[in-house]
Structure formats: structure tokens, C-alpha cells
């Protein structure tokens, strides 16, 4: 005769659960693979390209993809694959600097606003809410009109446009932490407010910031491509995926590969970053664990 204990469903042993949790997910595998491809293109563009991406060769204009030019040539006879490799380096570098700027400034302001509260919180959040009132792309366009279209101008414009989002995330995390027992214990033993904030509060903001940074990296790639497409990004003849798309518009019927391959690279970057970001969120968020 079966007892109640026998009828209860068998639970998964703890070592098996641990092994199952440590296995990479499908999103992590696919996203990581796509990001690895992008990284190889960007690093490869630093040390080697099939052709000089800036050299004009008017005798070989609009060549379709072939063994000599795998992705064809553009309206000036430049190799599309070489320019995509250089564009990967430029786009990823701009996006990385943008994310670092936004995370650094946003974390500082979010920590000060969430932990110190009072007039500091009111002042910083008033400025932050004013920036949030503008769409990110519109704010970046306005800043680019002031600083000028250049590689570091885009970094500054997009970084400032993304700072308010980081401030909101960090501030909400700090507000949920500042009344916890370990923070109160740090105050009781005599630690200063600044020491408590940087030693105990800031490390607990790392996990949500990592997840936000992965999403923001995709936003930065898309925004940089959009600005370059509008002619407000890195000026030609430097290659970015956005200005390659812009220059392909008059030739989409006669030479569709000029727009297809840069657009494909942007899509691959966004899909890879989003999949990897979802997997990272599932791993870092304890509520998603089983």
C-alpha cells in the first residue's frame, strides 16, 4: 500500500538542479554566437581587411557578390565586405563608449539621488525628468546640432540621452536597499554615508546595471545607425553601417546588396544582443531561477 510520501512527486535532486541551472540556455548560445561573429569582424577589421576600404576603383563599380568580392562593390568600387568590417569596429566602439558614459554618469547621479534623498534627490530628479520629457533620439539630435557630427559627438549625444534611464534604474534599486538591515548595521558601527553608499549600496546595483547595459548596447547600435543614415553620424568616407545604408538608397534596385548586407549586420547585432541580454537577465535575476 502506497503511503502519502510515496504518492508525492519526486523532486529533482539538488546536484541535478544545480547542473541544470549552470547549463547555458538556448538564448545564451545563439546570442553569444552572434556576438562572437560581430566581435571577430570588428577585431579582424583592425588587423586585416580583404581590400582597402577607402580606395576608389571606378573600373569595378557595382560588382555583384563573387569570389573576388564576396559581398560585391559599391558605387565607387570599394569592397563592401571590407567596409562592413570597418563599420563593425566603428559601430561597436561608439556603442561601447556610449554605454560606458551613460552607466558611469547615471550610476553616480542615481546613487546620490536614491541614498541622500532630500533636496539632492529633488534637484537631480527634476533635471532627470526634464530630460526624460524628450524622446531619446530627439534629444540626441539636438545635442549633435550643438557639438557637431563626429564619432565622439555621437558618443556624447547618445550617452547623455541614455543617462536618465540609468538614473531611474539605479535610484529605484537604491531606494529598495537603503533601509535594509546591512545598511543600518553599517551606519550603527559608525561608517560614513559616502562609505556606506560606495561600499554596500553600489555593489548591489551591479546586476541590474549589467542587464540594462546589454539592452542599451543594442539601442546605441541602432541609434548610431539611424543618425548616420540621416547624415548626422560619422562623416564619409569613414564607414559605418548607417552611412552605408544611406549611400545605398539610390541603388537599391540596381545593386540591392549595398543595402542588404549592412542592414543584415544591424539585425544580427540587435538579435544577438537581445538574446544574450535575456539570458543574462534570467541568470542574474533570482526570481527567474528554479
Amino acid at each position: 500500500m502506497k503511503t502519502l510520501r510515496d504518492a508525492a512527486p519526486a523532486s529533482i535532486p539538488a546536484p541535478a538542479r544545480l547542473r541544470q541551472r549552470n547549463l547555458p540556455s538556448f538564448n545564451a548560445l545563439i546570442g553569444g554566437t552572434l556576438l562572437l561573429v560581430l566581435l571577430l569582424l570588428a577585431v579582424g577589421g583592425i588587423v586585416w581587411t580583404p581590400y582597402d576600404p577607402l580606395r576608389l576603383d571606378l573600373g569595378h563599380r557595382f560588382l555583384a557578390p563573387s569570389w573576388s568580392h564576396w559581398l560585391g562593390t559599391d558605387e565607387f568600387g570599394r569592397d563592401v565586405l571590407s567596409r562592413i568590417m570597418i563599420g563593425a569596429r566603428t559601430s561597436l566602439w561608439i556603442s561601447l563608449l556610449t554605454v560606458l558614459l551613460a552607466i558611469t554618469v547615471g550610476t553616480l547621479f542615481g546613487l546620490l539621488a536614491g541614498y541622500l534623498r532630500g533636496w539632492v534627490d529633488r534637484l537631480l530628479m527634476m533635471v532627470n525628468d526634464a530630460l526624460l520629457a524628450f524622446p531619446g533620439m530627439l534629444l540626441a539630435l539636438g545635442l549633435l546640432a550643438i557639438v557637431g557630427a563626429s564619432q565622439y559627438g555621437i558618443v556624447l549625444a547618445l550617452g547623455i540621452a541614455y543617462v536618465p534611464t540609468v538614473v531611474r534604474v539605479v535610484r529605484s534599486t537604491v531606494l529598495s536597499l537603503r533601509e535594509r538591515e546591512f545598511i543600518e548595521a553599517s551606519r550603527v558601527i559608525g561608517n560614513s554615508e559616502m562609505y556606506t553608499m560606495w561600499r554596500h549600496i553600489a555593489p548591489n546595483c551591479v546586476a541590474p546595471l549589467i542587464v540594462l547595459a546589454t539592452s542599451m548596447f543594442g539601442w546605441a547600435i541602432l541609434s548610431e545607425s539611424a543618425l548616420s543614415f540621416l547624415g548626422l553620424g560619422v562623416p564619409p568616407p569613414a564607414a559605418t553601417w548607417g552611412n552605408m545604408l544611406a549611400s545605398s538608397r539610390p541603388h537599391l534596385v540596381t545593386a540591392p546588396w549595398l543595402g542588404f548586407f549592412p542592414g543584415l549586420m544591424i539585425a544580427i547585432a540587435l538579435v544577438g544582443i537581445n538574446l544574450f541580454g535575456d539570458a543574462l537577465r534570467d541568470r542574474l535575476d533570482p526570481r527567474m531561477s528554479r
Side-chain angles (χ1 to χ4, degrees):
M1 182 177 180
K2 291 185 176 181
T3 63
L4 181 60
R5 181 178 180 182
D6 296 330
S11 61
I12 302 175
R17 290 199 305 269
L18 183 60
R19 287 195 301 269
Q20 184 179 11
R21 184 180 177 186
N22 289 333
L23 288 176
S25 65
F26 176 79
N27 286 350
L29 288 174
I30 300 300
T33 301
L34 294 178
L35 291 180
L36 180 60
V37 171
L38 294 177
L39 184 60
L40 290 176
L41 279 177
V43 173
I46 297 174
V47 298
W48 174 83
T49 55
Y51 297 89
D52 185 350
L54 300 179
R55 186 174 67 87
L56 305 182
D57 187 2
L58 300 181
H60 295 86
R61 301 169 63 241
F62 297 118
L63 291 182
S66 62
W67 286 111
S68 58
H69 296 276
W70 288 6
L71 302 186
T73 61
D74 63 7
E75 67 273 22
F76 297 109
R78 299 172 297 192
D79 183 64
V80 174
L81 175 58
S82 301
R83 291 181 63 77
I84 280 181
M85 294 173 69
I86 296 299
R89 182 187 66 185
T90 304
S91 297
L92 294 181
W93 178 244
I94 289 175
S95 301
L96 178 62
L97 292 180
T98 298
V99 172
L100 289 177
L101 175 62
I103 291 293
T104 302
V105 177
T107 300
L108 174 61
F109 289 162
L111 283 171
L112 292 175
Y115 189 74
L116 298 182
R117 303 297 301 274
W119 66 268
V120 176
D121 184 29
R122 290 193 296 272
L123 177 62
L124 290 177
M125 294 312 297
M126 180 178 63
V127 176
N128 197 70
D129 291 340
L131 293 176
L132 281 175
F134 297 93
M137 183 60 68
L138 183 61
L139 181 59
L141 287 172
L143 292 172
L144 275 176
I146 298 174
V147 302
S150 65
Q151 180 171 325
Y152 294 104
I154 294 177
V155 171
L156 181 62
L158 292 179
I160 293 176
Y162 293 151
V163 161
T165 302
V166 181
V167 172
R168 301 285 293 195
V169 171
V170 174
R171 178 178 179 271
S172 63
T173 304
V174 173
L175 289 176
S176 67
L177 291 171
R178 68 187 307 272
E179 304 302 332
R180 299 279 293 274
E181 291 80 2
F182 66 96
I183 301 300
E184 193 64 32
S186 178
R187 297 194 188 102
V188 169
I189 63 177
N191 290 330
S192 65
E193 297 289 343
M194 296 301 294
Y195 179 86
T196 300
M197 182 172 62
W198 291 111
R199 180 64 180 84
H200 300 290
I201 295 286
N204 285 280
C205 298
V206 171
L209 280 176
I210 291 176
V211 176
L212 178 62
T214 56
S215 300
M216 195 178 298
F217 198 82
W219 304 343
I221 289 178
L222 186 61
S223 298
E224 183 276 326
S225 300
L227 291 172
S228 296
F229 185 81
L230 295 174
L232 297 173
V234 179
T240 66
W241 295 337
N243 62 27
M244 290 178 70
L245 274 177
S247 63
S248 71
R249 284 181 296 174
H251 315 292
L252 289 179
V253 176
T254 57
W257 59 87
L258 296 182
F260 175 77
F261 291 115
L264 178 63
M265 296 309 301
I266 295 173
I268 288 175
L270 294 179
V271 170
I273 291 169
N274 286 332
L275 289 177
F276 191 78
D278 288 343
L280 195 61
R281 180 203 60 202
D282 296 344
R283 180 57 61 92
L284 294 177
D285 190 347
R287 294 171 298 179
M288 303 296 294
S289 62
R290 295 288 185 264

